[in-house]
């Protein structure tokens, strides 16, 4: 495949996460030295610094603005679509760009106001290492985008909109002729779910290996742009900060390394993954904001008790400067979070995506903070409360509800979605699968749940709980029981102010609404069905799927 006219055979493209095997991917790894490593070095063509990695990759960086202007692998150009380069945000503009070589490493430094960006190459590797240091809000930089020429990889993913000509929302959600929807927002994956994203033809792979996201925001379960494809080509993203359905303030500082990796079709080497990447070779490069491994610490917990073993548990660390997370071992809850910047953090234990424990932990440079076994109080897990009936599971997600899986990669109007209306009968065996994952004021407000009570249950007052995971336009549930008792309209909890339910994200702030229903509201006839009507209250929003809405975690009536 020499020469740009010989494009790779197009085969299925894909995104792979942490569970994927990468044994076939060693060609992209840091140790993948090439026999042609002697050609390693750089030249100046007048407009660009041209870096030859000494392997099969040659790339160019503009001397005026720091754009990546060329990405040639085995003689074929992959960079560029629509006349645009690869760059921070949509291009920084006039910048100071310098280059230096130190042994087997070349570093290109880009300075634009208070923002500093870096490209590094290692002799014999088909990788470009990148760092971005955003110090403040004076420069609008929230991503790095690798722009790939059209036709290089098959355009068939959920975020592809080449064949979706009809715009149905905000100029970034599209509908195909068959009624399926596409958008760059529909990534499916949470940050915790993937180490890299990209495409392969079977003989060539182009990937972006993500950083540890310590200076990003939103936590381990956050969803953001990963990639998109259009008629003009494709884009692979490393998101430095993403505001859509964001739950946290923007963090500042150095993010990276993240890596552009070219392979012979396999996944990138696991040695490049954020959890494994050792950049000791970068310690002396003078990268602004860089902290070596020796300046970082570790948090380890001997175990977590009080867990529901049916669920995965995650331990998160967060403060205003950084965020980290790690998985708790299924057998005993042991966890280890490494590479942590010194500081005091809020430690949160998540059951699924539901916070069930919080504490505080301090990390020191070069040290390990060892925690005794963490005990989750029984009252912290809503599932432990005795319920007359329950719809869904208290895990911080709408998982199991109608259309829940589809909504991370499709618009609610998608032809594949089941009807958003329809009532629910407790005892039917389909309570959760029949209940829609989202409720909107203009779509399915007033949904009815039918249930029976025993005489003893009907003689007592009960608490009804509705857990939500996010809301749009302050949408929140108001209930009516048997058309005789109506709850007050609850105050809206703090939630993101941007779109959420229509752009593939249910991840906001988990919140539980509670309603004290008096005994007088229940039917005394035990053979008759009581009715619970759930309305969406809010004066905000517009119409249809952009009317006020909310995502449901679980609903139960306590004993």
């Amino acid at each position: 495949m020499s020469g740009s006219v010989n494009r790779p055979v197009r085969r299925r493209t894909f995104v792979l996460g942490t569970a994927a095997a990468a044994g076939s991917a060693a060609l992209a790894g840091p140790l993948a030295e090439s026999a042609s490593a002697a050609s390693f070095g750089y030249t100046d063509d007048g407009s660009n610094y041209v870096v030859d990695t000494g392997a099969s990759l040659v790339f160019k960086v503009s001397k005026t603005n720091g754009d990546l202007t060329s990405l040639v692998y085995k003689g074929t150009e992959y960079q560029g679509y629509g006349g645009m380069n690869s760059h921070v945000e949509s291009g920084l503009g006039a910048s100071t760009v310098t280059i230096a070589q130190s042994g087997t490493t070349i570093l290109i430094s880009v300075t634009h106001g208070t923002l500093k960006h870096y490209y590094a190459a290692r002799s014999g590797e088909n990788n470009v290492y990148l760092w971005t240091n955003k110090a403040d809000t004076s420069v609008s930089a929230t991503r790095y985008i690798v722009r790939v020429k059209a036709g290089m990889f098959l355009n068939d993913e959920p975020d592809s909109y080449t064949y979706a000509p009809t715009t149905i929302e905000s100029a970034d959600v599209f509908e195909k002729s068959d009624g399926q929807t596409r958008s760059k927002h529909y990534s499916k994956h949470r940050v915790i779910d993937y180490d890299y994203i990209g495409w392969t033809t079977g003989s060539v792979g182009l990937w972006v290996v993500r950083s540890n996201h310590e200076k990003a925001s939103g936590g381990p379960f956050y969803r953001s742009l990963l990639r998109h494809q259009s008629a003009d080509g494709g884009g692979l993203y490393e998101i430095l900060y993403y505001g859509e359905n964001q739950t946290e303030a923007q963090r500042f500082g150095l993010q990276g390394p993240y890596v552009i990796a070219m392979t012979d079709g396999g996944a990138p080497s696991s040695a490049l993954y954020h959890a494994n990447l050792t950049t000791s070779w970068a310690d002396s490069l003078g990268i602004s904001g860089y902290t070596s491994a020796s300046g970082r610490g570790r948090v380890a917990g001997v175990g977590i008790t009080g867990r529901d073993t049916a669920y995965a548990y995650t331990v998160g660390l967060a403060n205003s400067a950084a965020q980290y997370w790690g998985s708790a071992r299924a057998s005993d809850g042991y966890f280890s979070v490494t590479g942590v910047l010194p500081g005091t953090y809020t430690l949160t234990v998540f059951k699924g995506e539901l916070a069930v424990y919080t504490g505080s932990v301090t990390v020191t440079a070069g040290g390990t903070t060892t925690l005794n076994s963490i005990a989750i109080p029984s009252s912290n897990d809503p599932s432990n409360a005795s319920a007359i009936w329950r719809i869904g599971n208290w895990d911080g997600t709408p998982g199991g509800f109608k259309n829940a899986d589809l909504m991370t990669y499709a618009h609610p109007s998608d032809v594949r979605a089941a009807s958003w209306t329809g009532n629910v009968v407790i005892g039917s065996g389909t309570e959760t699968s029949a209940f829609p994952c989202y409720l909107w004021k203009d779509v399915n407000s007033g949904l009815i749940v039918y249930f029976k009570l025993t005489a003893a249950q009907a003689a007592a007052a009960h608490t009804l709980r509705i857990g939500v995971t996010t809301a749009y336009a302050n949408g929140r549930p108001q209930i009516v029981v048997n058309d005789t008792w109506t709850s007050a309209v609850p105050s809206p909890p703090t939630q993101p102010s941007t779109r959420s339910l229509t752009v593939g994200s249910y991840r906001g702030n988990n919140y539980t609404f509670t309603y004290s229903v008096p005994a007088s509201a229940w039917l005394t006839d035990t053979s008759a069905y009581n009715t619970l009507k759930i309305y969406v209250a809010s004066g905000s929003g517009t119409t249809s799927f952009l009317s006020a809405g909310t995502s449901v975690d679980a609903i139960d009536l306590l004993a």
Side-chain angles (χ1 to χ4, degrees), residues 269-309:
S269 168
S270 60
L272 294 175
Y273 298 174
H274 64 94
N276 302 318
L277 182 60
T278 300
T279 53
S280 57
W281 51 265
D283 290 355
S284 60
L285 295 180
I287 294 172
S288 174
Y290 182 89
T291 302
S292 66
S294 63
R296 297 171 177 270
R298 171 175 172 258
V299 176
V302 300
I304 303 172
T305 63
R307 292 174 299 118
D308 182 339
T309 56

Coordinates of all heavy atoms in Angstrom, one line a residue, residues 269-309:
S269 N -1.6 -1.3 21.4 CA -1.1 -2.1 22.4 C -1.6 -1.7 23.8 O -1.8 -0.5 24.1 CB 0.5 -1.9 22.5 OG 1.0 -2.5 23.6
S270 N -1.9 -2.7 24.7 CA -2.4 -2.4 26.0 C -1.3 -1.6 26.8 O -1.7 -1.0 27.8 CB -2.7 -3.7 26.7 OG -1.6 -4.5 26.9
A271 N -0.1 -1.6 26.4 CA 0.9 -0.8 27.1 C 0.7 0.7 26.9 O 1.3 1.4 27.7 CB 2.3 -1.2 26.5
L272 N -0.1 1.0 26.0 CA -0.4 2.5 25.8 C -1.6 2.9 26.6 O -1.9 4.1 26.7 CB -0.7 2.7 24.3 CG 0.4 2.5 23.3 CD1 -0.2 2.7 21.9 CD2 1.5 3.5 23.6
Y273 N -2.4 2.0 27.2 CA -3.6 2.4 27.9 C -3.2 3.3 29.1 O -2.2 3.1 29.7 CB -4.4 1.2 28.3 CG -4.9 0.3 27.2 CD1 -5.5 -0.9 27.6 CD2 -4.7 0.6 25.9 CE1 -5.9 -1.8 26.6 CE2 -5.1 -0.3 24.9 CZ -5.7 -1.5 25.2 OH -6.2 -2.3 24.3
H274 N -4.2 4.2 29.4 CA -3.9 5.2 30.4 C -3.5 4.5 31.7 O -2.7 5.1 32.5 CB -5.2 6.0 30.6 CG -6.3 5.2 31.1 ND1 -6.6 5.1 32.5 CD2 -7.2 4.4 30.5 CE1 -7.7 4.3 32.6 NE2 -8.1 3.9 31.4
A275 N -4.0 3.4 32.0 CA -3.6 2.7 33.3 C -2.3 2.1 33.3 O -1.7 1.9 34.4 CB -4.7 1.7 33.6
N276 N -1.7 1.9 32.1 CA -0.4 1.2 32.0 C 0.7 2.0 31.5 O 1.9 1.6 31.6 CB -0.6 -0.1 31.2 CG -1.7 -1.0 31.7 OD1 -1.7 -1.2 32.9 ND2 -2.5 -1.5 30.8
L277 N 0.4 3.1 30.8 CA 1.4 3.8 30.1 C 2.4 4.4 31.0 O 2.1 5.2 31.9 CB 0.7 5.0 29.3 CG 1.7 5.8 28.4 CD1 2.4 4.9 27.4 CD2 0.9 6.9 27.7
T278 N 3.7 4.1 30.8 CA 4.8 4.6 31.6 C 5.5 5.6 30.8 O 6.0 5.3 29.7 CB 5.7 3.5 32.1 OG1 5.0 2.6 32.9 CG2 6.9 4.1 32.9
T279 N 5.6 6.9 31.2 CA 6.2 7.9 30.4 C 7.4 8.5 31.1 O 7.7 9.7 31.1 CB 5.2 9.1 30.2 OG1 4.6 9.5 31.4 CG2 4.0 8.6 29.3
S280 N 8.2 7.6 31.7 CA 9.4 8.1 32.3 C 10.3 8.8 31.3 O 11.1 9.7 31.7 CB 10.2 6.9 33.0 OG 10.4 5.9 32.0
W281 N 10.2 8.4 30.1 CA 11.0 9.1 29.0 C 10.6 10.5 28.9 O 11.3 11.3 28.3 CB 10.9 8.3 27.7 CG 9.5 8.0 27.2 CD1 8.8 6.9 27.4 CD2 8.7 8.9 26.5 NE1 7.6 7.0 26.8 CE2 7.5 8.2 26.2 CE3 8.8 10.2 26.0 CZ2 6.4 8.8 25.5 CZ3 7.7 10.8 25.3 CH2 6.6 10.0 25.1
A282 N 9.4 10.9 29.4 CA 8.9 12.3 29.2 C 9.2 13.1 30.5 O 9.0 14.3 30.4 CB 7.4 12.3 29.0
D283 N 9.8 12.5 31.5 CA 10.0 13.2 32.7 C 10.9 14.4 32.6 O 10.7 15.5 33.2 CB 10.7 12.3 33.8 CG 9.7 11.2 34.3 OD1 8.5 11.3 33.9 OD2 10.2 10.3 35.1
S284 N 11.9 14.4 31.7 CA 12.8 15.4 31.5 C 12.6 16.3 30.3 O 13.5 17.1 29.9 CB 14.3 14.9 31.4 OG 14.4 14.0 30.3
L285 N 11.4 16.2 29.7 CA 11.1 17.0 28.5 C 10.7 18.4 28.8 O 10.6 19.2 27.8 CB 10.0 16.3 27.7 CG 10.4 14.9 27.1 CD1 9.2 14.3 26.3 CD2 11.7 15.0 26.2
G286 N 10.4 18.8 30.0 CA 10.0 20.1 30.3 C 8.6 20.5 29.9 O 8.2 21.6 29.7
I287 N 7.7 19.5 29.9 CA 6.3 19.7 29.6 C 5.6 20.5 30.8 O 5.7 20.0 31.9 CB 5.6 18.4 29.4 CG1 6.2 17.7 28.1 CG2 4.1 18.5 29.2 CD1 5.7 16.3 27.8
S288 N 4.9 21.6 30.4 CA 4.3 22.4 31.5 C 3.2 21.6 32.2 O 2.3 21.1 31.6 CB 3.7 23.6 30.8 OG 3.0 24.4 31.7
G289 N 3.3 21.6 33.5 CA 2.3 21.0 34.3 C 2.5 19.5 34.5 O 1.7 18.8 35.2
Y290 N 3.6 19.0 34.0 CA 3.8 17.5 34.0 C 4.2 17.1 35.5 O 5.1 17.7 36.1 CB 4.9 17.2 33.1 CG 5.3 15.7 33.0 CD1 4.7 14.9 32.1 CD2 6.3 15.2 33.8 CE1 5.0 13.6 31.9 CE2 6.6 13.8 33.6 CZ 6.0 13.0 32.7 OH 6.3 11.7 32.6
T291 N 3.7 16.0 35.9 CA 4.0 15.4 37.2 C 4.4 13.9 36.9 O 3.6 13.1 36.4 CB 2.9 15.4 38.2 OG1 2.5 16.8 38.4 CG2 3.3 14.8 39.5
S292 N 5.6 13.6 37.3 CA 6.1 12.2 37.1 C 5.5 11.2 38.0 O 4.8 11.6 39.0 CB 7.7 12.2 37.2 OG 8.0 12.4 38.6
A293 N 5.8 10.0 37.8 CA 5.2 8.9 38.7 C 5.7 9.1 40.1 O 4.9 8.8 41.0 CB 5.6 7.5 38.1
S294 N 6.9 9.6 40.3 CA 7.4 9.7 41.7 C 6.7 10.8 42.4 O 6.7 10.9 43.7 CB 8.9 10.0 41.6 OG 9.2 11.2 40.9
G295 N 6.0 11.7 41.7 CA 5.3 12.8 42.3 C 3.9 12.5 42.6 O 3.1 13.4 43.0
R296 N 3.5 11.3 42.3 CA 2.1 10.9 42.5 C 2.0 9.8 43.6 O 3.0 9.2 44.0 CB 1.6 10.3 41.2 CG 1.5 11.3 40.0 CD 1.2 10.7 38.7 NE 1.1 11.7 37.6 CZ 0.0 12.3 37.3 NH1 -1.1 12.1 37.9 NH2 0.1 13.2 36.3
G297 N 0.7 9.5 44.0 CA 0.5 8.6 45.1 C -0.6 7.5 44.7 O -1.0 7.5 43.5
R298 N -0.9 6.8 45.7 CA -1.9 5.6 45.4 C -2.8 5.5 46.6 O -2.4 5.8 47.8 CB -1.1 4.4 45.3 CG -1.9 3.1 45.2 CD -0.9 1.9 44.9 NE -1.6 0.6 45.0 CZ -1.4 -0.2 46.0 NH1 -0.6 0.1 47.1 NH2 -2.1 -1.4 46.1
V299 N -4.0 5.1 46.3 CA -5.0 4.8 47.4 C -5.4 3.3 47.2 O -5.8 2.9 46.1 CB -6.3 5.7 47.3 CG1 -7.3 5.3 48.3 CG2 -5.9 7.2 47.5
A300 N -5.3 2.6 48.3 CA -5.7 1.2 48.3 C -6.6 0.9 49.4 O -6.4 1.3 50.6 CB -4.4 0.3 48.4
G301 N -7.7 0.1 49.1 CA -8.6 -0.3 50.2 C -8.6 -1.8 50.3 O -8.7 -2.5 49.3
V302 N -8.6 -2.3 51.5 CA -8.5 -3.7 51.7 C -9.8 -4.4 51.4 O -9.9 -5.6 51.2 CB -8.1 -4.1 53.2 CG1 -6.7 -3.5 53.5 CG2 -9.2 -3.6 54.2
G303 N -10.9 -3.7 51.4 CA -12.2 -4.3 51.0 C -13.4 -3.4 51.3 O -13.2 -2.3 51.8
I304 N -14.5 -3.8 50.8 CA -15.8 -3.1 51.0 C -16.8 -4.1 51.4 O -17.1 -5.0 50.7 CB -16.2 -2.3 49.7 CG1 -15.2 -1.4 49.2 CG2 -17.5 -1.6 50.0 CD1 -15.5 -0.8 47.8
T305 N -17.4 -3.8 52.6 CA -18.5 -4.7 53.1 C -19.8 -4.0 52.9 O -19.9 -2.8 52.7 CB -18.3 -5.0 54.6 OG1 -18.4 -3.8 55.3 CG2 -17.0 -5.7 54.8
G306 N -20.9 -4.8 52.9 CA -22.2 -4.3 52.7 C -22.6 -4.1 51.3 O -23.6 -3.4 50.9
R307 N -21.8 -4.8 50.4 CA -22.1 -4.7 49.0 C -23.2 -5.7 48.6 O -23.4 -6.7 49.2 CB -20.8 -5.0 48.2 CG -19.7 -4.0 48.3 CD -18.4 -4.5 47.6 NE -18.0 -5.8 48.2 CZ -17.8 -6.9 47.5 NH1 -18.2 -7.0 46.3 NH2 -17.4 -8.0 48.1
D308 N -23.9 -5.3 47.5 CA -24.8 -6.3 46.8 C -24.0 -6.9 45.7 O -23.7 -6.2 44.7 CB -26.0 -5.5 46.3 CG -27.0 -6.4 45.6 OD1 -26.6 -7.5 45.2 OD2 -28.2 -6.0 45.5
T309 N -23.6 -8.2 45.8 CA -22.7 -8.8 44.9 C -23.3 -9.0 43.5 O -22.6 -9.4 42.6 CB -22.3 -10.2 45.5 OG1 -23.4 -11.0 45.7 CG2 -21.5 -10.0 46.7

